[in-house]
């Protein structure tokens, strides 16, 4: 249906479905890129209901969170990414989690048809690796 901003989505759909991608080595450029790739994947799935994405930082955890109004949209995108179902925390009707690492980033690029050159892909991967060394 429509991509909403996170605040509007939560206000409109207080009990929705969550797909959370843990980013083990976050930096601003990687987070923005992963969020764009997740949005492209969701848009490509032509969701039946509203959805939103956000970069969420809590204590030692940084995630790309995707909220879905429609359970089947969350299940379909989650299945594409091999996300695991976990018991809902109470804030969500259902929850799925995955790890958004370099391997997943490459798979997202391939799935969404990311029109990047090999050099740009290598640069993004090195940004992940270099961040881990810092």
């Amino acid at each position: 249906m429509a991509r909403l901003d996170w605040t509007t989505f939560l206000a409109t759909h207080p009990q929705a479905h969550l797909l959370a991608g843990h980013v083990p080595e976050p930096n601003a450029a990687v987070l923005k890129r992963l969020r764009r790739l997740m949005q492209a994947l969701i848009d490509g799935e032509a969701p039946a209901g509203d959805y939103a994405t956000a970069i969420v930082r809590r204590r030692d955890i940084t995630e790309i969170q995707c909220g879905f109004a429609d359970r089947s949209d969350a299940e379909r995108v989650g299945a594409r990414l091999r996300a695991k179902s976990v018991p809902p925390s109470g804030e969500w009707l259902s929850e799925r989690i995955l790890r958004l690492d370099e391997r997943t980033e490459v798979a997202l690029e391939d799935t969404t048809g990311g029109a990047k050159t090999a050099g740009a892909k290598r640069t993004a991967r090195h940004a992940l690796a270099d961040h881990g060394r810092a």
Side-chain angles (χ1 to χ4, degrees):
M1 215 173 183
R3 182 188 324 161
L4 304 175
D5 69 83
W6 191 248
T7 304
T8 301
F9 178 84
L10 293 177
T12 307
H13 305 283
Q15 291 273 305
H17 307 275
L18 176 69
L19 173 64
H22 172 67
V23 182
E25 298 181 28
N27 70 48
V30 169
L31 289 168
K32 288 177 185 177
R33 177 169 169 65
L34 287 170
R35 184 177 182 197
R36 280 194 305 272
L37 287 168
M38 292 293 288
Q39 288 172 338
L41 173 66
I42 296 166
D43 288 341
E45 291 291 318
D50 294 337
Y51 83 92
T53 64
I55 297 169
V56 177
R57 293 179 173 99
R58 294 185 317 254
R59 296 183 197 166
D60 295 338
I61 297 173
T62 302
E63 296 177 326
I64 305 295
Q65 291 191 350
C66 306
F68 296 89
D70 187 274
R71 183 183 196 111
S72 64
D73 292 333
E75 289 173 348
R76 189 171 56 255
V77 174
R80 293 283 308 266
L81 295 169
R82 297 184 181 136
K84 297 177 186 176
S85 288
V86 296
S89 65
E91 297 176 41
W92 303 95
L93 293 176
S94 69
E95 291 186 38
R96 286 160 189 76
I97 60 169
L98 70 139
R99 183 178 171 96
L100 287 174
D101 55 15
E102 182 180 340
R103 180 190 57 78
T104 310
E105 180 183 5
V106 171
L108 277 168
E109 287 175 349
D110 292 344
T111 301
T112 60
K116 293 283 185 182
T117 64
K121 285 183 184 179
R122 190 178 68 244
T123 301
R125 287 186 206 129
H126 284 292
L128 271 173
D130 291 346
H131 181 73
R133 290 184 208 135

